[in-house]
């Protein structure tokens, strides 16, 4: 039956759809959500789902269920994150997975920074006497951004949701832009009581210097040691 028929008869249909994601190819998920959205414009639509894709972004449109004393109870949510926490926990899905974060992560300002750090780590090999080991840094993913503004924006939007899931250390240049970003992020996270401390969650290069200025000096080894310390602290906490 055409789902518009009810509207033609001056009646509003009620559609109950159970788990639309079942047997659905992932590439068709967006198409399916568009169809459901169109349906919801002319009818009452109730869906049950275990897929984050089909959970509305608007918390007022979400009703959760839980079993209390053997009875199924309905509950509402204040935020989308709260609404999807049960699904994410049961499926083993973390918000950090959506941002392609690794188990350990180092954020740098740009592509050049990432390539330089990788070059140093490939060039300075670990030695038997425990020198230059930096096991956490070597195991980390280096993610580059389009400058300090991009890092600041990404951190403000996502860090508060993922810092407890994945260790992250931000590396900032010691120039004016890097220091401005540091102050902005520290003020932002301090107001939310989220840890963002020097040589733990972030490290800065020497004052006035960008990462490119450290070559061919040995000064780059100090930032690596600070990053290693930050990742180690995050892993332990």
């Amino acid at each position: 039956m055409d789902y518009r028929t009810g509207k033609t008869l001056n009646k509003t249909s009620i559609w109950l759809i159970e788990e639309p994601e079942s047997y659905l190819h992932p590439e068709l998920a967006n198409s399916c959500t568009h169809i459901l959205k169109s349906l919801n414009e002319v009818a009452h639509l109730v869906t049950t789902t275990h897929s984050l894709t089909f959970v509305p972004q608007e918390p007022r449109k979400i009703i959760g269920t839980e079993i209390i004393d053997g009875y199924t109870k309905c509950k509402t949510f204040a935020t989308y994150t709260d609404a999807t926490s049960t699904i994410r926990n049961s499926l083993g899905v973390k918000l950090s997975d959506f941002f392609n974060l690794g188990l350990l992560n180092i954020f740098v300002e740009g592509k050049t920074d990432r390539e330089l750090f990788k070059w140093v780590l490939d060039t300075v090999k670990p030695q038997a006497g425990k020198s230059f080991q930096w096991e956490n840094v070597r195991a980390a993913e280096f993610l580059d951004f389009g400058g300090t503004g991009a890092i600041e924006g990404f951190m403000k939007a996502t860090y508060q949701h993922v810092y407890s899931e994945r260790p992250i250390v931000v590396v900032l240049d010691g120039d004016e832009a890097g220091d401005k970003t540091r102050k902005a992020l520290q003020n932002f996270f301090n107001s939310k009581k989220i840890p963002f401390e020097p040589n733990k969650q972030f490290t800065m290069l020497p004052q006035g210097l960008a990462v490119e200025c450290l070559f061919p000096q040995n000064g780059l080894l100090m930032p690596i040691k600070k990053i290693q310390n930050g990742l180690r602290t995050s892993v332990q906490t």
Side-chain angles (χ1 to χ4, degrees):
M1 181 184 71
D2 188 336
Y3 62 75
R4 292 168 296 186
T5 301
K7 198 69 175 180
T8 304
L9 298 176
N10 199 29
K11 295 182 179 180
T12 302
S13 301
I14 299 177
W15 288 75
L16 307 177
I17 300 179
E18 182 177 8
E19 299 184 5
E21 72 273 12
S22 296
Y23 306 105
L24 182 68
H25 192 284
E27 291 185 355
L28 297 177
N30 287 335
S31 298
C32 186
T33 56
H34 287 309
I35 293 173
L36 294 178
K37 182 178 179 181
S38 298
L39 174 61
N40 196 31
E41 292 175 353
V42 296
H44 293 303
L45 173 65
V46 179
T47 61
T48 61
T49 183
H50 290 91
S51 172
L52 297 176
T53 302
F54 291 92
V55 178
Q57 294 289 332
E58 173 54 64
R60 290 180 299 178
K61 296 181 178 180
I62 305 171
I63 298 176
T65 61
E66 59 184 349
I67 298 177
I68 300 178
D69 298 328
Y71 294 92
T72 300
K73 303 288 186 179
C74 293
K75 60 179 180 179
T76 57
F77 305 95
T79 66
Y80 173 82
T81 302
D82 292 338
T84 57
S85 62
T86 301
I87 294 178
R88 288 186 283 105
N89 292 336
S90 63
L91 297 180
V93 177
K94 300 180 181 296
L95 280 177
S96 50
D97 294 331
F98 293 96
F99 303 111
N100 200 30
L101 299 183
L103 295 178
L104 304 172
N105 303 274
I106 299 170
F107 289 180
V108 295
E109 294 182 17
K111 176 182 177 182
T112 302
D113 304 60
R114 174 175 54 80
E115 292 178 344
L116 287 174
F117 274 109
K118 287 292 189 180
W119 175 79
V120 170
L121 291 171
D122 289 340
T123 302
V124 182
K125 302 296 183 183
Q127 297 181 358
K130 296 296 183 180
S131 298
F132 314 128
Q133 293 293 312
W134 307 319
E135 62 277 1
N136 289 337
V137 178
R138 295 183 186 277
E141 298 288 342
F142 281 78
L143 282 76
D144 60 271
F145 295 77
T148 54
I151 284 185
E152 181 178 337
F154 184 87
M155 289 290 290
K156 285 182 176 179
T158 65
Y159 184 69
Q160 57 189 313
H161 305 298
V162 303
Y163 78 95
S164 61
E165 298 178 354
R166 297 282 192 268
I168 297 172
V169 172
V170 179
V171 180
L172 296 170
D173 287 346
D175 56 13
E176 182 179 353
D179 195 48
K180 181 180 178 181
T181 296
R182 171 194 63 80
K183 292 178 180 178
L185 290 178
Q186 281 193 297
N187 290 335
F188 182 81
F189 292 126
N190 284 342
S191 67
K192 296 180 176 294
K193 302 188 184 310
I194 296 173
F196 193 70
E197 303 177 31
N199 301 328
K200 289 186 178 180
Q201 287 79 30
F202 77 91
T203 186
M204 291 196 67
L205 301 182
Q207 184 176 7
L209 293 182
V211 65
E212 294 85 354
C213 299
L214 297 174
F215 294 91
Q217 305 175 37
N218 291 326
L220 186 62
L221 303 185
M222 183 55 67
I224 291 181
K225 291 179 181 178
K226 291 181 179 180
I227 295 171
Q228 171 71 15
N229 178 63
L231 291 174
R232 182 186 299 113
T233 302
S234 298
V235 170
Q236 291 175 347
T237 56

